[in-house]
């Protein structure tokens, strides 16, 4: 089995305040990592603060915090606080996010995303080192900020990346990359860009969407809706075009023409099956291992749908 086996927090179908019993069991079940996400549910940090207390053996990470939606100083403070709550057990994942989340939901212009992520990464390096930061970067300027409580152990900073530019930034200046919405075979196209800068052990964290023990028709219906919602966002469409996924061309055209139902139906079953892993839990675990064999160092399962979270994490636990 892989050295690391992660899960996404918080779980669906159960209020966060009631998830302690499930999270406490994760290390005993073989999980090594718990990674949060930040879109339209909880923020990225609060679930990890709770997990730091409820399951002190877990490594914790954000996958991801958007570089646009918090100011650089606030982001450094939030990350340093969690790093000091869980010394040596926290990794900060940042990324551009998307125009939908940044501009559509938060009212912040989504301009020059590469520059924003690069500059945030450089700022965080200086802030975590305890430096007084006063510098003009391409996407923002900082005037005399110094982190009041420097992390006892500086957390690694990983970059969410899709295409070569950001993947290379993740490998060159970050401590690795965070990827999602890709197949196990796609990892072989992504990993070399991260590791071309003399860092063969650079971490690659993959959020992998899973639907264990769900009937194929139901799983494909759920996966198809989710895939359509994501893969029509410009950054993800560009990613899959770069990967050469021409079979999605009809879906993109129908979506652009306003035919949402037709677009859903146009997504091939094979694409859904490889992007959203489903079937018996044992088969799902085997498919996750294929990502590791392709170059992922930290698989992070992201269960979809409702159901009992305790049963889901037990079914997906490494054997």
């Amino acid at each position: 089995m892989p050295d690391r086996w992660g899960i996404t927090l918080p779980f669906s179908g159960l209020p966060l305040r009631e998830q302690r019993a499930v999270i406490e069991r994760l290390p005993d079940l073989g999980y090594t990592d718990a990674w949060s996400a930040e879109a339209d549910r909880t923020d990225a940090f609060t679930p990890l603060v709770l997990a730091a207390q409820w399951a002190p053996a877990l490594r914790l990470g954000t996958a991801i915090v958007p570089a646009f939606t918090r100011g650089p100083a606030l982001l450094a403070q939030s990350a340093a606080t969690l790093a000091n709550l869980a010394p040596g057990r926290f990794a900060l994942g940042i990324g551009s996010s998307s125009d939908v989340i940044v501009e559509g939901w938060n009212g912040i212009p989504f301009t020059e995303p590469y520059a924003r992520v690069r500059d945030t990464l450089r700022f965080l390096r200086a802030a975590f080192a305890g430096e007084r930061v006063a510098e003009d970067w391409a996407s923002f300027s900082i005037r005399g900020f110094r982190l009041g409580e420097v992390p006892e152990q500086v957390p690694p900073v990983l970059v969410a990346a899709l295409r070569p530019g950001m993947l290379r930034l993740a490998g060159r200046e970050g401590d690795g990359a965070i990827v999602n919405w890709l197949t196990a075979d796609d990892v072989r196209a992504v990993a070399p860009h991260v590791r071309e800068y003399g860092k063969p052990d650079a971490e690659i964290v993959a959020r992998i969407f899973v639907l264990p023990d769900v009937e194929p028709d139901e799983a494909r219906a759920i996966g198809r809706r989710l895939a359509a919602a994501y893969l029509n966002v410009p950054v993800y469409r560009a990613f899959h075009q770069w990967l050469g996924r021409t079979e999605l061309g009809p879906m993109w055209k129908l979506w652009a023409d306003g035919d949402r139902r037709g677009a859903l139906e146009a997504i091939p079953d094979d694409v859904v099956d490889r992007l959203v892993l489903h079937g018996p839990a044992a088969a799902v675990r085997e498919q996750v291992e294929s990502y590791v064999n392709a170059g992922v160092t930290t698989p992070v399962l992201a269960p979809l749908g409702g159901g009992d979270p305790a049963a889901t994490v037990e079914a997906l636990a490494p054997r």
Side-chain angles (χ1 to χ4, degrees), residues 41-169:
R41 294 185 64 204
T42 65
D43 71 285
F45 292 102
T46 302
L48 300 185
V49 170
L50 294 172
Q53 307 306 305
W54 293 344
L58 288 175
R59 182 189 187 218
L60 311 169
T62 60
I64 51 115
V65 177
F68 284 95
T69 53
R70 286 178 181 79
L74 178 58
L75 177 56
Q77 292 171 69
S78 299
T81 300
L82 190 44
N84 281 330
L85 278 174
R89 297 190 295 112
F90 172 61
L92 175 64
I94 63 170
S96 65
S97 188
S98 69
D99 58 332
V100 172
I101 291 174
V102 174
E103 193 160 341
W105 297 354
N106 284 283
I108 299 168
F110 188 69
T111 56
E112 299 293 337
Y114 176 88
R116 180 72 182 207
V117 173
R118 180 200 61 207
D119 297 346
T120 300
L121 175 59
R122 292 173 178 176
F123 164 78
L124 289 169
R125 294 293 197 206
F128 290 157
E131 298 176 14
R132 181 180 181 275
V133 186
E135 190 162 347
D136 295 318
W137 282 286
S139 61
F140 57 80
S141 297
I142 301 295
R143 294 288 176 265
F145 172 77
R146 189 190 300 275
L147 193 58
E149 189 171 347
V150 176
E152 297 173 16
Q153 297 186 47
V154 174
V157 182
L158 294 94
V159 174
L162 297 175
R163 289 180 289 160
M166 204 74 86
L167 290 164
R168 291 177 183 136
L169 176 66

Side-chain angles (χ1 to χ4, degrees), residues 256-318:
D257 291 343
D259 184 355
R260 299 295 192 258
R261 177 174 292 182
L264 284 173
E265 294 173 352
I267 304 175
D269 284 351
D270 176 63
V271 173
V272 177
D273 293 347
R274 289 186 293 139
L275 291 173
V276 178
L277 310 186
H278 59 88
V284 170
R285 291 195 302 271
E286 289 181 6
Q287 293 176 79
V288 171
E289 289 181 51
S290 69
Y291 282 79
V292 177
N293 294 334
V296 167
T297 56
T298 307
V300 179
L301 284 60
L304 302 175
D308 177 9
T312 298
V313 298
E314 184 152 359
L316 292 171

Side-chain angles (χ1 to χ4, degrees), residues 239-257:
F239 176 46
H240 283 268
Q241 288 174 329
W242 172 68
L243 289 169
R245 194 146 284 128
T246 56
E247 61 268 40
L248 290 177
M251 182 271 287
W252 287 322
K253 183 179 186 307
L254 289 164
W255 189 274
D257 291 343

